[in-house]
Amino acid sequence: MVITRFAPSPTGHLHIGGLRTALFNYLYARSCGGKFYLRIEDTDLDRNVQEATEAILKAFEWVGLEVDGEIWYQSQRLDIYKGYIQQLLDEGKAYYCYMSKEELEALRETQRAQGLTPRYDRRYRDFKGTPPSGIEPVVRIKAPLSGEVHFKDGVKGEVCVQAEELDDFVIARSNGVPTYNFVVTIDDALMEISDVIRGDDHLSNTPKQIILYQALGFKIPNFYHVPMILNEQGHKLSKRDGAMGVMDYKALGYLRDALLNFLVRLGWSHKDQEIFSLQEMKAFFNPKDLNSAPSCFSPHKLEWLNSHYLKESPLDTLKALLKDFSLPNGFHALSPAQQDILLEALKSRVVTLKDMAHEVAKVLTPPTHYALDKLKNKEQALEVLNALVASLKAQDFSSPETLDKTLHTFMQTQGLKAGAVMLPLRIALLGEAGGIGVKEALFILGYQASLERLKVFLTL
């Protein structure tokens, strides 16, 4: 069975790169009918933030990545890790190192001065003497002294590291708390993780973890190290480029389906398809199709996808989503039909839900400025609108279609072209030369509000 996991550290909010990693692992498990686990790596008690854990869980809930079983917390498993550390010590595969921080730094300085790579010199690897007093030892693994550590990465291909490049790395700190590489190895083994998909910033950790798998007799999982996401200039993604917390995207009005679709294409492809539903992602995803080249974060692509999903969203869905944004009270005073017409008129004109809420407020708020410079003849426009006001009746506002007929009848009766009526009418109602359709604006505002806006404009 394919079993994957996502294992964030709760030191900050879940960011876009982390969500992509979670998505890849989730999709692979679901595509094979396997299991997907969430593990919170919270052994670094000095850096853990409870709000960060809550933010990770909220982000998972928002994007709909359901996990199997209970959430794993490493901070609740310290006794398990200590048991395996003791096992390695008892089997002679690990040892206590009494080297002080000052001694280690002095050694590294000497090595740097000699042009060598700074590393621990294994002086306590086979130590049999009396331990120095006043030193709380760390525990180091006995890494192989010769040969190589190699594995086949699903993205990078064959990876080989010479043993001489590795030192006896620390697996437990002097306070007894195990290190990252150690707890990751133990948990992945005990959780029976079959496949690890993660960023290639973890590639250097993998040989160390393989050493631990072998020392403990655990089965080694398959690894897929995905290249990092870069900005459009080919540099590391920053917050300015889009490396924000996942929930920041929700606050900006992006739809979860658009965000997931965007992320799945940052490093994975299926033929020439660009638009994927979550069900399609589950059906098509295979880690063998992960790209070996870095992906480019394009804000324009995300906006295009979000616009697509907004256009395709049912109106009831949009109404529910817009509850998270500040809609004016006037929107809730509209009839369901008026709300539907307004959202339908806007959803093809905006990029995000936040934009939509802003545009709703613009339509429902009487204009204070008018695009008079767009009118060729203001006096003539005022004459046309005066005549229109006299011809409009309350019953004309029963539907946009009825209003459309009324406007065309007025134009025919007055011998006017559409531009002579529609442009000044739109400016009078909305203040701008562009925007939603005139008949839709009249219907949404209703008879009284429309006439009030027209009368204000006619007094300019």
Side-chain angles (χ1 to χ4, degrees):
M1 177 183 289
V2 169
I3 302 177
T4 65
R5 50 74 167 174
F6 178 58
S9 298
T11 55
H13 290 193
L14 178 61
H15 285 76
I16 208 76
L19 180 58
R20 183 188 68 158
T21 299
L23 178 62
F24 286 165
N25 282 282
Y26 169 82
L27 292 177
Y28 187 33
R30 293 293 177 260
S31 71
C32 301
K35 300 287 186 182
F36 171 66
Y37 296 126
L38 175 62
R39 184 174 75 223
I40 305 297
E41 299 192 335
D42 56 350
T43 57
D44 191 343
L45 303 179
D46 293 333
R47 297 181 62 212
N48 291 340
V49 180
Q50 180 60 35
E51 291 79 4
T53 299
E54 294 171 359
I56 292 168
L57 300 182
K58 286 179 181 177
F60 262 63
E61 181 181 2
W62 176 53
V63 298
L65 300 188
E66 72 276 4
V67 301
D68 294 298
E70 298 293 325
I71 298 171
W72 295 57
Y73 291 90
Q74 287 186 334
S75 60
Q76 300 172 4
R77 298 168 54 78
L78 293 177
D79 288 343
I80 295 174
Y81 308 137
K82 290 177 181 178
Y84 280 102
I85 289 169
Q86 190 59 51
Q87 176 184 326
L88 291 173
L89 288 167
D90 293 342
E91 294 175 353
K93 297 176 180 178
Y95 60 95
Y96 289 112
C97 172
Y98 297 91
M99 196 172 189
S100 68
K101 292 180 180 179
E102 292 76 16
E103 288 176 313
L104 183 58
E105 185 54 39
L107 172 64
R108 289 172 174 169
E109 286 296 327
T110 300
Q111 290 170 330
R112 291 190 191 101
Q114 296 173 349
L116 303 174
T117 301
R119 67 181 60 194
Y120 170 65
D121 59 6
R122 295 188 169 100
R123 68 181 61 179
Y124 284 99
R125 182 180 174 107
D126 298 306
F127 180 69
K128 302 296 183 183
T130 302
S133 61
I135 300 293
E136 292 293 335
V138 299
V139 178
R140 292 181 180 271
I141 190 72
K142 286 187 177 180
L145 299 176
S146 61
E148 59 189 26
V149 178
H150 63 86
F151 62 98
K152 185 174 182 179
D153 188 89
V155 178
K156 305 290 185 183
E158 292 290 339
V159 178
C160 181
V161 178
Q162 298 300 314
E164 62 189 27
E165 298 178 34
L166 302 167
D167 64 5
D168 292 356
F169 54 91
V170 175
I171 60 173
R173 302 176 182 88
S174 59
N175 60 3
V177 176
T179 58
Y180 167 79
N181 281 309
F182 187 80
V183 296
V184 166
T185 302
I186 298 298
D187 282 340
D188 282 350
L190 298 185
M191 294 169 75
E192 299 183 327
I193 301 301
S194 64
D195 298 82
V196 175
I197 304 174
R198 58 189 180 190
D200 62 5
D201 54 328
H202 285 283
L203 187 62
S204 61
N205 290 323
T206 306
K208 297 178 180 180
Q209 292 169 12
I210 289 176
I211 289 172
L212 292 170
Y213 279 110
Q214 293 172 335
L216 291 163
F218 290 144
K219 183 179 179 181
I220 300 172
N222 302 313
F223 292 101
Y224 301 83
H225 288 91
V226 185
M228 305 299 285
I229 303 172
L230 304 179
N231 65 14
E232 293 181 298
Q233 290 72 45
H235 301 139
K236 182 180 178 181
L237 200 64
S238 67
K239 187 171 183 178
R240 182 177 58 186
D241 301 314
M244 299 180 290
V246 171
M247 298 308 283
D248 291 331
Y249 283 92
K250 181 184 180 184
L252 288 171
Y254 287 93
L255 303 183
R256 70 161 195 176
D257 290 341
L259 188 59
L260 292 177
N261 194 154
F262 176 70
L263 289 176
V264 80
R265 290 288 288 110
L266 291 180
W268 175 82
S269 60
H270 177 73
K271 300 180 179 179
D272 295 326
Q273 189 168 336
E274 288 289 343
I275 305 295
F276 293 89
S277 68
L278 188 55
Q279 290 304 316
E280 288 176 317
M281 293 182 209
K282 293 177 185 179
F284 299 146
F285 185 84
N286 188 321
K288 293 180 181 178
D289 297 324
L290 290 168
N291 300 335
S292 59
S295 302
C296 173
F297 186 105
S298 170
H300 308 293
K301 178 71 173 292
L302 177 57
E303 290 173 358
W304 174 77
L305 279 169
N306 209 62
S307 298
H308 167 80
Y309 280 95
L310 274 178
K311 292 174 188 175
E312 297 297 316
S313 295
L315 295 176
D316 287 344
T317 299
L318 289 178
K319 288 179 185 178
L321 293 172
L322 284 167
K323 290 179 181 178
D324 292 330
F325 296 85
S326 300
L327 289 174
N329 292 330
F331 178 78
H332 305 291
L334 299 176
S335 69
Q338 288 172 314
Q339 291 180 357
D340 288 350
I341 293 295
L342 177 53
L343 297 185
E344 189 66 49
L346 289 176
K347 71 177 187 176
S348 62
R349 306 178 63 86
V350 298
V351 172
T352 67
L353 290 166
K354 189 174 182 179
D355 294 339
M356 181 172 279
H358 177 70
E359 291 299 318
V360 167
K362 281 178 63 177
V363 171
L364 298 182
T365 303
T368 55
H369 301 282
Y370 298 90
L372 298 177
D373 59 316
K374 302 297 182 181
L375 296 174
K376 293 181 179 179
N377 190 321
K378 179 184 174 183
E379 288 70 22
Q380 182 181 358
L382 295 176
E383 288 179 12
V384 169
L385 293 182
N386 260 313
L388 178 62
V389 167
S391 67
L392 287 174
K393 309 296 181 192
Q395 60 267 29
D396 297 334
F397 287 74
S398 59
S399 70
E401 294 72 27
T402 304
L403 282 161
D404 191 46
K405 291 178 182 178
T406 299
L407 291 171
H408 278 85
T409 299
F410 173 77
M411 286 185 282
Q412 290 174 355
T413 302
Q414 299 291 324
L416 297 169
K417 293 183 178 181
V421 178
M422 296 303 190
L423 179 59
L425 181 53
R426 180 182 278 111
I427 293 174
L429 294 173
L430 304 174
E432 300 177 349
I436 64 174
V438 170
K439 63 182 179 182
E440 288 84 2
L442 286 167
F443 176 72
I444 293 161
L445 295 173
Y447 179 67
Q448 292 295 339
S450 295
L451 258 60
E452 287 174 9
R453 293 193 183 190
L454 283 166
K455 289 176 181 178
V456 170
F457 184 75
L458 290 170
T459 63
L460 294 178

